[in-house]
């Protein structure tokens, strides 16, 4: 029997495991969760697994058949500098010890780690694979001394194909290859996976409505561009555009944003819905024409699911070029350079004034959505490749998912 050791990271793998054992489809979360896709892949391959999770809740271990989900604290939480780097080494030692005790054939690392630390497992013949869900460093900014030391560990892990990578986007793949060299280590790309029930089936946006309704989804933080919406609103008012922002989310800048909106006389232009579960989010989406994803250049973005979820709902996105997702949805997104507030205002103004262009963007959503409903592009498909390669004693093959023009 194939044995898999998987570090799931901070997500609530316990809840996902309970839902999976109950036999229902994963339509509670915003997408089919990565842990859920792992459980499905393990079942397809008849594998046993030990899955660690750093989510802090009441549970510490749950089991079902040959699968177990176990709580392990995140040794890196709250640490910085040399302490943070030391914690990554300690985390790797703990993972390797548990993987060897379990007798793992495959170790799949889905949490923050340094590939070079796992050399002892590879020397023992264990297949070690890294799943990357975000960029390794911030583009356009020189890494600090500590970051450079960490990236040396990444480079050592990737050289000569020592650690295959499951990559969430071509932006992440490009950074891996910057460190290791082109095709020096196998990279298998995947996309977020959805069921149609997640965001499909909403009524089409009302193109006859005079006001452009715009949804922002995510944490209310400066680096997510939430506060920039205030200046974008002022620019749209200057251009005499009829619009309203629907803000779905909470965060550290929530109070500041609401106070600034009120003080600036913009209350009629913003509706604050707070945190929304998926059914509530669908309700707000149904009222809107487009989404805005104004992520700033100082945020390290690996993909950005909001772009995709908006497109699945039939709502085109006006989004920052820092989000790799914009390159996978073709004409369903207007791409704006990060931090270009005038660019966002211009894009929204054009959609508000020219409903034929807005219609074209909406029509593009259906075709762009299909690849995210295709399980062949999913994390689960990447896991199938890992498990098959281990059984067949061959290298993991490369897979690159093309951008959509």
């Amino acid at each position: 029997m194939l044995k898999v050791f998987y570090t799931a990271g901070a997500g609530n793998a316990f809840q996902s495991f309970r839902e999976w054992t109950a036999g229902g489809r994963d339509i509670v979360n915003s997408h089919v969760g990565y842990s859920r896709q792992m459980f499905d892949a393990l079942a397809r391959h008849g594998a046993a697994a030990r899955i660690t999770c750093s989510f802090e809740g009441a549970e510490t271990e749950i089991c079902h058949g040959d699968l177990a989900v176990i709580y392990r604290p995140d040794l890196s939480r709250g640490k910085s500098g040399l302490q943070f780097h030391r914690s990554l080494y300690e985390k790797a030692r703990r993972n390797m010890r548990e993987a060897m005790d379990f007798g793992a054939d495959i170790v799949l690392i889905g949490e923050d780690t340094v590939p070079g630390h796992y050399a002892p497992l590879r020397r023992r013949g264990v297949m070690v694979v890294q799943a990357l869900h975000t960029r390794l460093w911030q583009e356009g900014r020189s890494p600090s001394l500590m970051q450079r030391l960490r990236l040396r560990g990444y480079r050592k892990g990737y050289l000569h194909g020592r650690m295959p990578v499951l990559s969430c986007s071509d932006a992440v793949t490009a950074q891996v290859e910057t460190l290791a060299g082109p095709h020096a280590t196998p990279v298998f790309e995947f996309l977020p996976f959805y069921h149609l029930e997640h965001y499909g089936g909403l009524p089409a946006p009302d193109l006859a409505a005079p006001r452009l309704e715009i949804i922002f989804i995510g944490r209310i933080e400066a680096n997510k561009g939430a506060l920039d919406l205030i200046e974008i609103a002022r620019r749209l008012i200057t251009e005499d555009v009829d619009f309203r922002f629907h803000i779905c989310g909470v965060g550290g800048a929530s109070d500041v944003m609401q106070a600034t909106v009120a003080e600036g006389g913009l209350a009629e232009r913003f509706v604050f819905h707070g945190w929304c579960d998926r059914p509530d989010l669908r309700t707000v989406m149904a009222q809107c024409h487009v989404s805005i994803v104004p992520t700033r250049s100082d945020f390290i973005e690996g993909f950005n699911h909001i772009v995709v979820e908006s497109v699945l709902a039939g709502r085109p996105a006006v989004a920052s070029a820092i989000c790799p997702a914009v390159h996978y949805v073709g004409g369903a997104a207007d791409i704006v350079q990060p931090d270009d507030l005038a660019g966002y205002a211009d894009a929204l103004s054009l959609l508000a004034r020219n409903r034929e262009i807005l219609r074209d963007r909406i029509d593009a959503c259906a075709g762009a959505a299909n690849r995210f409903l295709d399980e062949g592009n999913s994390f689960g498909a990447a896991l199938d490749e890992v498990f098959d390669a281990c059984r067949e004693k061959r290298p993991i093959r490369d897979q690159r998912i093309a951008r959509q023009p």
Side-chain angles (χ1 to χ4, degrees), residues 1-4 42 45-49 65-67 102-105 391:
M1 176 183 286
L2 189 68
K3 288 189 170 185
V4 179
L42 292 166
H45 291 264
D66 293 312
L67 310 184
F102 178 58
D105 303 295
R391 276 211 174 94

Side-chain angles (χ1 to χ4, degrees), residues 188-334:
F188 197 100
E189 292 180 352
F190 61 90
L191 296 176
F193 177 53
Y194 297 82
H195 297 307
L196 192 59
E197 302 97 301
H198 277 108
Y199 295 100
L202 295 184
D206 182 4
L207 293 175
R211 174 181 287 167
L212 187 70
E213 306 284 356
I214 309 157
I215 188 169
F216 170 91
I217 305 167
R219 287 194 57 78
I220 312 303
E221 305 288 354
N223 60 12
K224 297 297 282 184
L227 300 181
D228 291 337
L229 297 179
I230 297 169
E231 176 58 27
I232 293 169
R234 294 191 181 109
R235 290 173 180 266
L236 291 173
I237 291 170
T238 300
E239 296 178 21
D240 199 27
V241 175
D242 192 3
F243 72 95
R244 181 165 56 189
F245 286 116
H246 294 262
I247 310 301
C248 297
V250 294
S254 293
D255 291 344
V256 171
M257 184 177 187
Q258 293 188 51
T260 306
V261 165
E263 292 165 4
L266 298 171
E268 292 185 357
R269 301 292 186 169
F270 286 83
V271 180
F272 290 92
H273 297 274
W275 181 84
C276 296
D277 60 16
R278 196 176 52 81
D280 290 341
L281 198 57
R282 285 174 58 91
T283 299
V284 180
M285 281 178 158
Q287 304 171 37
C288 295
H289 297 92
V290 300
S291 73
I292 185 166
V293 188
T295 309
R296 295 189 63 82
S297 57
D298 58 348
F299 186 82
I300 301 177
E301 192 77 84
F303 191 79
N304 193 291
H305 290 190
I306 302 303
V307 172
V308 174
E309 288 156 15
S310 175
V311 169
L312 288 165
R315 274 63 187 169
V318 176
S320 169
I322 207 73
C323 304
V326 298
H327 302 297
Y328 292 87
V329 298
D334 283 289

